Amino acid sequence: MPEDGACPGVGGNTLARIVEDNCPGMLASAGVVIEHLDAQAGIWQLSIDEGQTWRAIRTDLINRDGNLGLALDRDARLRVLPYCDHRVTGARVVFHTVPRSHGPGNGSYRAYACDGREDGSGTIALVLSLAAINGAPPAVHVPRLRNKRALAQRAVAAPRQGAVPLA
């Protein structure tokens, strides 16, 4: 895995990377509780196994009134798949950091205290570009297009070059 924490080809940045890149000076945390995700941006997904599998995030649960959030450890990955008919340049993400790992509760929806959080962890609202959330796409090698007729002629000509005349 590259040093920057991004796995090539899986998409999605870790929450640690999103926080570090967009909240300079914030103390390192063990995880976050996501309080709101911009549902207009597309379909949100999470991965808690380094991008091997992805699960849809229930934005209808966390975006409603009340204090229900999505608990994720710092190494969990987040991505958004934009809707085809909607051009999205940024998406709103609201969260607060937590000092301890969620353990077996990583990836679960749970109630959180809106006031009196540990270590003064306040709510952070960011509008992030899709690249900041999803990461840069991996480089893809695209083979050069070839003329099919030229390839076919070359294949037919190849046996003639090494052919031995019959006597």
Side-chain angles (χ1 to χ4, degrees):
M1 178 161 34
E3 289 179 23
D4 63 1
C7 286
V10 297
N13 272 327
T14 63
L15 287 164
R17 177 148 187 178
I18 291 171
V19 171
E20 289 166 7
D21 288 352
N22 298 286
C23 303
M26 178 174 269
L27 296 174
S29 63
V32 302
V33 174
I34 296 178
E35 300 174 20
H36 179 88
L37 293 171
D38 185 356
Q40 300 298 316
I43 299 169
W44 289 87
Q45 295 181 327
L46 70 96
S47 175
I48 58 174
D49 59 5
E50 297 183 359
Q52 298 298 314
T53 59
W54 292 89
R55 296 186 319 193
I57 296 174
R58 298 275 316 267
T59 55
D60 61 320
L61 292 178
I62 60 175
N63 290 356
R64 63 182 176 192
D65 291 338
N67 297 323
L68 186 66
L70 176 61
L72 293 170
D73 286 343
R74 63 180 279 117
D75 59 345
R77 293 182 177 276
L78 187 66
R79 72 179 180 188
V80 61
L81 306 175
Y83 296 122
C84 293
D85 60 345
H86 186 38
R87 292 190 180 252
V88 177
T89 57
R92 186 168 183 255
V93 178
V94 180
F95 64 93
H96 66 270
T97 59
V98 293
R100 290 181 300 280
S101 170
H102 297 291
N106 186 22
S108 66
Y109 301 91
R110 57 174 59 171
Y112 63 88
C114 61
D115 295 325
R117 293 189 190 133
E118 299 172 8
D119 298 329
S121 175
T123 296
I124 300 165
L126 299 172
V127 176
L128 302 171
S129 69
L130 293 184
I133 299 165
N134 294 342
V140 177
H141 171 70
V142 178
R144 193 178 104 214
L145 295 176
R146 304 206 183 267
N147 184 325
K148 289 182 182 180
R149 182 178 292 160
L151 289 174
Q153 289 173 348
R154 194 176 313 147
V156 170
R160 288 191 208 151
Q161 293 173 353
V164 177
L166 296 174

